[in-house]
């Protein structure tokens, strides 16, 4: 049987947060409980938002938590696992899409895209109505004198289906529910959708576990992989973490970043608390990540939001 390859894919734009820890824990448990491997990919595409210091801290935090990986990370193979060093790879795949006639420049400003009358989707994304899809080469050249374009990919009127490991069957018609999406920003940085779809395909990732807030990206990534002739992993999304009042956690909740929590709690306490909150353990007890491996199954993981116990992090 094929070895399962899971992954951690942190964006080093800040300190590690309990929500990231939950995601890494479930990704790790799912892979390890199937005898699989884990790779660590640094999603530092955006040079303005990413820092090597944050990445070093994330790696140190993962080690402290007992969540190990087999491949990748900051120091591995001359940055082969850092998205910031892989733009040549993304360029090749961008060119493949371009040769297929699937890419076009988009000159819409942020303000135009976010205008009050722009159609929004239920998850807060906006629907791109194809404003620049049919510009003539002359119109595009004229617009290019004033503004550098972003690059969008033309999506088909076709329903992409997949079965989420946790939430079951899911279907999205890209033309009706998403619209043509950006794969390269005007400043030249490749978009998350392209980089992640390409990397998961090329790095042999067989299982992606991530927060439910990213479930809406999955159809785009699957379609990109198929269009680019890359293999696709299976996807499992996990519920979001909220505080004890049911409020969604955000990076602003400084008390719940791992640097603070490490001052007060042992790794086994943090892992035990998250495992109980997520449904993996029936009752709280301090536990190491490895002790949870034989206890893990997707059936135990809650479907609704995961609430932290009162007082945690205070
Ligand atoms: N890099 C993303 C994050 O840190 C995760 C992307 C993914 O799992 O596909 O939120």
């Amino acid at each position: 049987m094929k070895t399962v390859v899971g992954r951690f894919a942190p964006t080093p734009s800040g300190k590690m947060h309990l929500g990231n820890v939950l995601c890494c824990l479930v990704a790790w448990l799912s892979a390890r409980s199937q005898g699989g491997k884990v790779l660590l990919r640094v999603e530092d595409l955006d040079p303005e938002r990413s820092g090597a210091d944050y990445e070093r801290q994330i790696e140190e935090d993962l080690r402290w938590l007992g969540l190990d990986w087999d491949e990748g990370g900051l120091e591995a193979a001359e940055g082969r696992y850092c998205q910031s060093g892989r733009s040549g790879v993304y360029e090749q795949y961008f060119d493949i899409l371009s040769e297929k006639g699937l890419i076009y420049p988009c000159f819409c400003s942020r303000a135009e895209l976010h205008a009050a009358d722009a159609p929004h989707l239920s998850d807060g994304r906006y629907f791109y109505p194809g404003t620049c899809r049919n510009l003539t080469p002359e119109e595009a050249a004229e617009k290019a004198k004033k503004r550098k374009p972003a690059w969008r990919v033309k999506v088909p009127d076709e329903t992409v289906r997949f079965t989420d490991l946790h939430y079951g069957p899911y279907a999205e018609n890209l033309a009706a529910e998403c619209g043509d999406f950006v794969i390269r920003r005007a400043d030249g940085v490749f978009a998350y959708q392209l980089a992640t779809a390409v990397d998961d395909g090329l790095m042999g990732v067989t299982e992606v576990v991530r927060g439910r807030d990213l479930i809406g990206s999955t159809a785009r990534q699957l379609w990109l992989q198929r269009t680019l002739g890359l293999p696709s992993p299976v996807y499992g999304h996990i519920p979001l973490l909220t505080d004890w009042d049911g409020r969604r956690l955000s990076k602003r909740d400084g008390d719940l970043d791992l640097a603070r929590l490490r001052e007060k709690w042992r790794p086994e306490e943090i892992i035990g608390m998250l495992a109980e909150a997520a449904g993996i353990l029936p009752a709280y007890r301090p536990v190491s990540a490895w002790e949870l491996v034989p206890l893990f199954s997707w059936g135990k993981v809650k479907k609704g939001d995961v609430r932290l116990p009162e007082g945690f992090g205070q």
Side-chain angles (χ1 to χ4, degrees):
M1 238 180 61
K2 219 166 99 180
T3 307
V4 169
V5 181
R7 49 112 154 142
F8 301 140
T11 299
S13 59
K15 290 182 188 154
M16 197 154 175
H17 189 275
L18 266 191
N20 311 124
V21 177
L22 177 65
C23 188
C24 289
L25 175 64
V26 179
W28 185 90
L29 285 173
S30 183
R32 295 299 188 209
S33 64
Q34 299 170 81
K37 296 200 304 182
V38 178
L39 68 82
L40 169 60
R41 181 171 71 234
V42 186
E43 299 214 323
D44 55 352
L45 273 176
D46 189 338
E48 278 169 24
R49 288 182 56 227
S50 310
D53 285 348
Y54 283 133
E55 178 57 24
R56 264 185 281 275
Q57 186 60 50
I58 291 169
E59 294 190 11
E60 216 275 297
D61 286 340
L62 286 169
R63 280 192 204 99
W64 181 81
L65 288 160
L67 301 176
D68 60 348
W69 58 94
D70 307 281
E71 259 181 65
L74 206 52
E75 309 303 337
E78 293 151 355
R80 204 157 60 79
Y81 295 88
C82 296
Q83 290 189 329
S84 59
R86 294 174 56 78
S87 31
V89 176
Y90 309 137
E91 186 107 45
Q92 282 171 25
Y93 285 92
F94 180 91
D95 290 347
I96 297 176
L97 293 171
S98 182
E99 278 153 27
K100 288 178 186 275
L102 290 174
I103 285 185
Y104 64 89
C106 170
F107 299 91
C108 296
S109 68
R110 199 171 274 264
E112 283 160 348
L113 293 171
H114 291 272
D117 59 351
H120 276 68
L121 302 172
S122 55
D123 64 0
R125 285 186 288 144
Y126 61 85
F127 175 85
Y128 182 68
T131 319
C132 294
R133 195 192 243 239
N134 296 315
L135 294 178
T136 62
E138 295 72 32
E139 286 168 332
E142 196 51 40
K143 284 182 182 279
K145 289 182 190 158
K146 296 198 203 91
R147 173 187 283 277
K148 270 189 122 181
W151 298 87
R152 286 183 188 269
V153 63
K154 290 183 191 171
V155 296
D157 181 7
E158 179 190 307
T159 300
V160 178
R161 292 173 201 281
F162 65 96
T163 303
D164 188 86
L165 275 175
H166 196 40
Y167 290 106
Y170 192 92
E172 182 174 337
N173 180 301
L174 290 175
E177 295 173 60
C178 171
D180 299 340
F181 56 94
V182 171
I183 58 164
R184 191 170 198 174
R185 299 188 335 200
D187 61 4
V189 174
F190 288 97
Y192 156 72
Q193 302 296 349
L194 181 75
T196 294
V198 166
D199 283 348
D200 284 330
L202 289 181
M203 293 179 178
V205 172
T206 66
E207 187 176 285
V208 167
V209 175
R210 58 188 178 191
R212 195 183 176 159
D213 51 336
L214 287 170
I215 202 165
S217 292
T218 309
R220 279 174 278 174
Q221 293 173 9
L222 282 168
W223 175 74
L224 279 173
Q225 285 155 349
R226 201 171 68 218
T227 307
L228 292 166
L230 292 166
S232 290
V234 293
Y235 290 87
H237 290 84
I238 62 161
L240 300 178
L241 199 58
T242 71
D243 68 8
W244 39 95
D245 289 328
R247 242 182 358 117
R248 201 180 146 190
L249 300 180
S250 76
K251 285 205 170 163
R252 288 189 303 275
D253 295 311
D255 286 355
L256 296 175
D257 82 43
L258 209 55
R260 288 278 191 86
L261 294 173
R262 282 180 61 164
E263 292 168 8
K264 260 181 110 170
W265 308 92
R266 290 184 293 124
E268 292 79 9
E269 291 168 331
I270 294 179
I271 300 273
M273 184 279 301
L274 285 175
E276 195 259 335
I280 302 164
L281 276 183
Y284 169 77
R285 67 181 162 94
V287 68
S288 73
W290 277 105
E291 282 171 75
L292 283 179
V293 170
L295 305 177
F296 177 80
S297 75
W298 276 97
K300 292 181 182 170
V301 180
K302 282 188 187 152
K303 294 255 185 343
D305 287 349
V306 172
R307 244 175 223 239
L308 286 173
E310 189 161 354
F312 199 85
Q314 284 178 329

